[in-house]
Amino acid sequence: MAQSLTQLYAENRSLIFGHRGAKADAPMNTLPAFELALKQDADGIELDVHLSQDGYPVIIHDFTVDLTTDGNGRAADMPLAELKELDAGSWFGEAFRGVRIPTLDEVFAAVGDKLAINVEIKSNSRRTTGCEQVVADRIRHFGLQSSVIVSSFDPLALRRFRRIMPDVPIGFLYDRDTPRWLHPLMFGLKHEARHPHYTMIDTEFMAWAKTRGYRVNTWTVNEVEQARKLRELGVDILISDHPGVIRKALYG
Ligand code: G3P
Ligand code: MG
């Protein structure tokens, strides 16, 4: 089994997660990128999830397939079979030609027993697509409650997920561009972690988070010096496109 988040946090160091896998070295959000993060000794991975038209959780960052596949259109408008026809690797490099968009099940099956996983639920509407329920079902199916953390920029998605699966930790994602009015939507919603952009973290912020009992998990930390500073500040998880480089620099 993958170590539980509780066990990992107990190591009392900044954990290293691969952002969309080892994003700098392989096509983001694909199995090769996640497997490479594992090879690079990451503690975990971060990935982005959407639902296909027929309700399967698929791992892709954008709402459309345009940027990272040879297709066009919204992922939510395509059934899984159609998404699976797309080449999600060639845009990154010839060596990855034919790599497919993975489902959440495929990622859980490939690395769920070896890595902690930060599942980011992508959401751009007030109404649910049903993604929270499906993600909860798949986590339960694979028995990964103790090694998964669910995050989102959308407090409503977090609220729904918490209601469905209260035993899995959740984290609120935000940066300086996050509309002010979204923050109060987290009031009254118990959450275990804050996932601010790394430029928002300083001593004062860490003290504030600590008094509230929040873990602090941040992104996207690609510079070694920045990673060192954040480690000194006591950040819990550093999400990086270069998990191998950051791991080596921090822990040899
Ligand atoms: O979860 C951290 C980070 O992935 C959030 O932003 O746009 O890379 O999904 P984004
Ligand atoms: Mg993400």
Side-chain angles (χ1 to χ4, degrees):
M1 273 315 283
Q3 276 188 291
S4 70
L5 272 169
T6 312
Q7 283 170 321
L8 284 168
Y9 284 142
E11 292 184 16
N12 252 327
R13 62 179 173 89
S14 297
L15 304 168
I16 317 291
F17 277 39
H19 183 229
R20 312 180 199 168
K23 177 175 175 280
D25 303 313
M28 63 174 92
N29 281 320
T30 63
L31 289 180
F34 299 131
E35 277 153 4
L36 193 55
L38 175 65
K39 226 179 267 169
Q40 294 181 358
D41 240 356
D43 299 292
I45 49 169
E46 184 266 0
L47 53 80
D48 307 290
V49 66
H50 298 255
L51 284 196
S52 65
Q53 186 203 51
D54 47 352
Y56 288 93
V58 288
I59 310 309
I60 184 166
H61 179 267
D62 293 0
F63 285 82
T64 72
V65 300
D66 302 15
L67 218 60
T68 54
T69 77
D70 56 351
N72 284 295
R74 281 167 44 87
D77 292 339
M78 301 181 195
L80 181 62
E82 198 179 321
L83 287 165
K84 278 291 187 187
E85 279 170 21
L86 303 176
D87 180 338
S90 295
W91 70 273
F92 190 87
E94 257 318 296
F96 297 98
R97 176 171 292 280
V99 165
R100 303 289 147 187
I101 295 173
T103 61
L104 187 58
D105 279 36
E106 286 168 335
V107 180
F108 282 171
V111 295
D113 59 342
K114 302 173 198 85
L115 290 169
I117 301 182
N118 175 190
V119 176
E120 181 190 340
I121 295 179
K122 288 295 186 195
S123 157
N124 65 353
S125 109
R126 279 168 177 259
R127 292 195 46 201
T128 183
T129 57
C131 194
E132 301 83 16
Q133 183 67 57
V134 174
V135 167
D137 289 346
R138 303 330 293 156
I139 295 172
R140 195 170 291 116
H141 177 81
F142 282 86
L144 296 178
Q145 289 91 328
S146 67
S147 57
V148 167
I149 178 164
V150 168
S151 64
S152 187
F153 286 103
D154 179 359
L156 298 179
L158 291 173
R159 202 168 275 277
R160 289 189 289 262
F161 182 81
R162 168 104 300 171
R163 211 174 302 133
I164 298 164
M165 200 168 213
D167 50 333
V168 163
I170 54 173
F172 178 42
L173 268 165
Y174 55 97
D175 59 18
R176 291 183 198 281
D177 296 331
T178 299
R180 289 308 309 166
W181 61 267
L182 274 178
H183 286 261
L185 296 180
M186 291 305 291
F187 294 172
L189 174 61
K190 180 176 177 279
H191 52 294
E192 289 69 27
R194 290 253 145 182
H195 290 220
H197 189 256
Y198 74 90
T199 53
M200 301 174 85
I201 298 177
D202 56 17
T203 317
E204 204 182 327
F205 174 82
M206 291 304 293
W208 172 85
K210 199 163 254 179
T211 56
R212 279 164 181 74
Y214 295 135
R215 295 287 176 183
V216 176
N217 305 328
T218 193
W219 45 284
T220 308
V221 185
N222 290 334
E223 301 299 328
V224 167
E225 266 323 297
Q226 200 63 51
R228 289 208 174 102
K229 273 188 209 145
L230 292 161
R231 176 179 62 166
E232 271 160 39
L233 287 168
V235 166
D236 293 287
I237 298 177
L238 302 170
I239 301 171
S240 175
D241 296 339
H242 302 271
V245 173
I246 301 295
R247 173 96 200 195
K248 207 169 262 167
L250 260 50
Y251 305 116

